[in-house]
């Protein structure tokens, strides 16, 4: 075969085997050109919630194409976007009353940052700094990288990344240091917003912290006039056990970013939800206060129809129960696994289970990750450890028998790399 012109994401082409061609997806499974079935252990990079090709969502996409394709969204609107916005406002934490559409998690974050800075400016406040949490990840565009952890991922672009104020990750037992650091930054009076991944820092290594700390951060932000941005791009749509992770802390952010599971993972779409106060700061007869942002594919009708169908699935099917069942099984399975092979920092949050491989280098570049991946692939399970962090984030349709199989394969892989 001739060499493929495709340049794959997060892929070192000099080291990795050729990409596996997927010809069909179903439920929790990927079917490949060479006739294999692979269990999708990370929900195709955290986007698939219910399962691949959820029938109601696929049907909604087909139906939407009968009437609409992309239409300009400045000065125009359409039913899928209107209905979805109403649904999002109803489902999201209280007080988020406006919905701005874009097309990926990164753009949802860029929109959130621009809303926060625009709000500060409109209020005549000299607040131009963003506060971020250590180890966080908010996407790969320049602004989103700026508010994420610096490292091997973004070293070449470092000169272009803007400066931020970083508070420590709330390590268990040392949470007060995080809150104190935030109080200190807040007192300086220059911070426009705090952006956080609620409860789970995904790409930072599935690091988890309790709802009470999230609630404290929210309280400090409110008390000090800092906008609170919840990046729920990964945590939303049931991943952490509740529809949004903020729900577990009983908090409502000023701005919320959602993408990945918004369409059940079927098609790209993102939304940035904003409070009335943030919207009102831009609402003016002064055109200079307009929120000057758009993506070409803003509010794509087909994607909005898919997201609306996702909401309907949440209402019509026992998704919350499915999530609770998967969460319980994940906890049981990973704890049992830790009894059979050496694992450190075993942790779960909702449907996510993670652990560190002890003894391995603790960097993202740790060689143990690709070895575990290859070993599992041979046995029909796709996982993608981040350095020495192994984790499973399967679709919600995953059965007990499938999970037994997956953990069995993972156990063999961990034994093999330890040997
Ligand atoms: C994946 C992710 C993003 C970026 O989303 P893309 O759709 O890949 O641009 C942003 N924030 C968080 C928390 C994510 O997990």
């Amino acid at each position: 075969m001739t060499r493929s012109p495709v340049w794959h994401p997060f892929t070192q082409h000099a080291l990795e085997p050729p990409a596996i061609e997927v010809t069909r997806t179903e439920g929790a499974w990927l079917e490949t050109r060479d006739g294999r079935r692979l269990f999708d252990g990370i929900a195709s990079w955290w986007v698939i919630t219910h399962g691949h090709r959820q029938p109601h969502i696929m049907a909604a996409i087909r139906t939407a194409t009968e009437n609409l394709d992309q239409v300009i969204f400045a000065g125009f609107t359409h039913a899928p976007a209107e209905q979805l916005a109403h649904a999002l406002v109803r489902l999201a934490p209280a007080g988020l009353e406006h919905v701005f559409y874009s097309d990926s998690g990164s753009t949802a974050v860029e929109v959130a940052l621009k809303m926060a800075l625009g709000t500060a400016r409109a209020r005549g406040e000299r607040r131009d700094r963003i506060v971020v949490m250590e180890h966080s990840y908010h996407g790969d565009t320049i602004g989103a990288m700026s508010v994420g952890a610096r490292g091997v991922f973004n070293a070449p672009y470092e000169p272009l990344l803007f400066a931020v104020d970083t508070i420590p990750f709330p390590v268990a037992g040392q949470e007060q240091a995080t809150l104190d650091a935030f109080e200190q930054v807040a007192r300086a009076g220059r911070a426009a917003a705090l952006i956080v991944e609620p409860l789970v820092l995904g790409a930072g290594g599935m690091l988890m912290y309790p709802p009470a700390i999230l609630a404290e951060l929210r309280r400090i932000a409110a008390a000090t006039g800092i906008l609170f941005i919840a990046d729920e791009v990964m945590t939303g749509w049931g991943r952490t056990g509740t529809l949004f992770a903020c729900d577990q802390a009983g908090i409502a952010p000023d701005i919320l970013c959602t993408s990945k599971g918004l369409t059940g993972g079927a098609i790209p779409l993102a939304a940035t939800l904003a409070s009335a106060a943030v919207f009102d700061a831009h609402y003016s007869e002064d055109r200079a206060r307009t929120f000057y942002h758009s993506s070409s594919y803003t509010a794509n009708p087909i994607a909005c129809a898919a997201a609306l169908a996702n909401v309907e699935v949440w209402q019509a099917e026992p998704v919350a129960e499915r999530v609770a069942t998967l969460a319980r099984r994940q906890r049981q399975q990973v704890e049992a696994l830790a009894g059979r092979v050496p694992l450190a920092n075993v942790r779960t949050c909702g449907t996510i289970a993670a652990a560190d491989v002890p003894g391995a280098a603790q960097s993202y570049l740790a060689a143990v990750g690709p070895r575990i991946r290859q070993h599992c692939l041979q046995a029909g399970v796709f996982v993608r450890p981040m350095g020495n962090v192994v984790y499973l984030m399967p679709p919600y349709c995953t059965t007990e028998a499938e999970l037994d199989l997956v953990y069995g394969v993972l156990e063999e892989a961990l034994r093999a790399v330890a040997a």
Side-chain angles (χ1 to χ4, degrees):
M1 205 173 83
T2 52
R3 198 165 150 204
S4 168
V6 175
W7 192 342
H8 289 268
F10 271 69
T11 300
Q12 180 42 269
H13 283 267
L15 292 175
E16 296 191 26
I20 301 163
E21 185 181 345
V22 175
T23 46
R24 197 169 172 281
T25 60
E26 175 125 49
W29 296 86
L30 311 174
E31 298 174 15
T32 67
R33 169 70 64 199
D34 57 7
R36 286 184 294 157
R37 292 179 82 234
L38 302 175
F39 181 87
D40 190 354
I42 66 161
S44 277
W45 246 344
W46 320 347
V47 301
I48 300 296
T49 50
H50 313 290
H52 282 280
R53 285 191 311 112
Q54 203 287 335
H56 186 63
I57 298 173
M58 292 294 117
I61 290 172
R62 278 193 293 274
T63 306
T65 63
E66 298 294 327
N67 290 306
L68 289 164
D69 58 358
Q70 183 66 30
V71 286
I72 181 171
F73 206 59
F76 292 86
T77 194
H78 46 76
E82 294 293 333
Q83 290 169 13
L84 178 60
H86 279 288
L88 291 177
V89 166
R90 185 163 41 75
L91 292 171
L96 294 166
E97 295 179 11
H98 300 272
V99 178
F100 191 95
Y101 290 112
S102 61
D103 40 34
S104 73
S106 300
T107 54
V109 166
E110 300 282 351
V111 164
L113 297 174
K114 287 172 71 172
M115 282 178 176
L117 292 169
T119 299
R121 190 186 176 100
R123 289 174 175 168
E125 296 172 344
R126 220 175 125 257
R127 291 177 176 273
D128 53 10
R129 307 269 307 180
I130 306 293
V131 187
V132 308
M133 189 180 277
E134 181 191 17
H135 303 310
S136 56
Y137 175 82
H138 297 289
D140 283 340
T141 53
I142 297 288
M145 276 193 294
S146 294
V147 292
R150 308 293 157 94
V152 65
F153 307 108
N154 46 38
Y157 329 113
E158 178 84 44
L160 288 183
L161 305 185
F162 58 76
V164 293
D165 294 310
T166 305
I167 59 174
F169 174 81
V171 176
Q174 299 164 42
E175 291 97 340
Q176 195 57 42
T178 301
L179 302 177
D180 291 347
F182 187 35
E183 291 264 16
Q184 198 178 336
V185 176
R187 269 198 301 274
R190 289 291 298 277
L194 167 73
I195 181 166
V196 285
E197 297 164 85
L199 304 188
V200 186
L201 276 58
M206 297 300 155
L207 303 175
M208 301 174 186
Y209 64 95
I213 300 304
L214 186 64
E216 272 302 289
L217 291 170
R218 207 295 165 246
R219 185 190 61 73
I220 296 167
T224 54
I226 295 173
L227 293 174
F228 189 96
I229 304 172
D231 177 356
E232 293 247 18
V233 169
M234 188 274 279
T235 51
W237 303 100
R239 267 296 155 210
T240 69
T242 43
L243 187 61
F244 292 104
C246 284
D247 299 338
Q248 286 176 56
I251 63 156
D254 298 294
I255 300 173
L256 182 148
C257 306
T258 178
S259 185
K260 295 192 170 118
L262 174 56
T263 61
I267 190 169
L269 183 68
T272 306
L273 277 61
S275 68
V278 169
F279 179 83
D280 289 348
H282 293 82
Y283 188 84
S284 165
E285 286 172 11
D286 176 3
R287 284 190 189 273
R289 281 221 216 159
T290 305
F291 187 55
Y292 285 114
H293 189 96
S294 177
S295 304
S296 299
Y297 286 99
T298 288
N300 178 269
I302 300 164
C304 287
L308 208 49
N310 170 46
V311 170
E312 286 161 4
V313 171
W314 271 87
Q315 280 156 356
E317 297 187 17
V319 182
E321 284 85 340
R322 246 174 245 155
V323 163
T325 303
L326 178 58
R328 177 168 43 76
R329 287 178 184 156
Q330 279 274 71
R331 197 165 51 244
Q332 288 165 349
Q333 290 274 7
V334 76
E335 281 169 6
L337 180 67
R340 302 194 298 267
V341 291
L343 284 175
N345 300 327
V346 173
R347 53 201 184 269
T348 61
C349 183
T351 67
I352 308 167
D356 303 347
V357 179
Q362 283 184 5
S363 109
Y364 183 85
L365 301 182
V368 69
R371 288 180 61 208
I372 293 170
R373 187 187 345 159
Q374 283 311 320
H375 207 96
C376 288
L377 270 181
Q378 300 298 325
V381 172
F382 168 56
V383 290
R384 206 173 192 284
M386 295 183 285
N388 68 320
V389 177
V390 287
Y391 71 96
L392 280 169
M393 195 192 291
Y396 306 157
C397 63
T398 303
T399 64
E400 185 151 29
E402 286 169 338
L403 217 51
D404 282 342
L405 169 102
V406 169
Y407 274 88
V409 167
L410 192 56
E411 176 179 348
E412 286 164 25
L414 288 166
R415 285 189 198 287
V417 299

